[in-house]
Amino acid sequence: MASQHPAQFLLENPTKLYRDCLRLADFLAKKQGFPRDVLRQQVMAPWRAFKNETNPELIMKHREAAVRGLSNYMFYEASMGSMDGANPFAPEDDDEPTKH
């Protein structure tokens, strides 16, 4: 039995994948102070260059590259939190005592 790709949902929904890539570009533009239009153009360029591609293997290769880009950034952000000594998955408001 073949194992399913961890990001199968994104691979099967290219519109969502494209929009998520654009959202990341917007986020990075705001966070790092880069021109938003430039980052969005960098995201859009490969999608437009291969919009008429018909080879299913090549299409999947490009989609997987986009998923890798998103996941690499998530791993980067998670590792930055651990480098700062903070748990990146812990709630930020630890001032309130937990109720049991």
Side-chain angles (χ1 to χ4, degrees), residues 10 15 21 26 30 45 50-52 59 73 77-78 94 98:
L10 284 175
T15 303
C21 290
D26 290 343
K30 184 174 182 180
F50 297 106
K51 70 180 179 182
N52 296 320
I59 291 170
Y73 185 75
E77 280 295 320
D94 287 337
T98 56

Side-chain angles (χ1 to χ4, degrees), residues 17-18 20-26 28-29 32-50 62 65-66 69:
L17 178 58
Y18 178 70
D20 285 348
C21 290
L22 288 176
R23 283 187 197 104
L24 178 59
D26 290 343
L28 290 174
Q32 297 177 352
F34 291 121
R36 177 178 181 255
D37 294 339
V38 173
L39 288 178
R40 288 178 67 92
Q41 287 298 322
Q42 287 182 328
V43 169
M44 289 188 274
W47 288 87
R48 292 192 180 182
F50 297 106
H62 292 296

Side-chain angles (χ1 to χ4, degrees), residues 6-95:
Q8 192 66 34
F9 175 75
L10 284 175
L11 292 173
E12 293 174 354
N13 295 289
T15 303
K16 174 154 179 43
L17 178 58
Y18 178 70
R19 289 178 182 162
D20 285 348
C21 290
L22 288 176
R23 283 187 197 104
L24 178 59
D26 290 343
F27 174 76
L28 290 174
K30 184 174 182 180
K31 181 179 179 181
Q32 297 177 352
F34 291 121
R36 177 178 181 255
D37 294 339
V38 173
L39 288 178
R40 288 178 67 92
Q41 287 298 322
Q42 287 182 328
V43 169
M44 289 188 274
W47 288 87
R48 292 192 180 182
F50 297 106
K51 70 180 179 182
N52 296 320
E53 183 61 54
T54 57
N55 181 346
E57 291 178 9
L58 194 54
I59 291 170
M60 190 57 66
K61 177 182 169 188
H62 292 296
R63 288 182 189 175
E64 288 172 348
V67 168
R68 262 192 315 279
L70 292 173
S71 64
N72 285 348
Y73 185 75
M74 290 189 304
F75 283 123
Y76 169 77
E77 280 295 320
S79 69
M80 292 306 292
S82 65
M83 291 175 138
D84 295 340
N87 181 353
F89 302 107
E92 293 182 17
D93 297 27
D94 287 337
D95 297 337

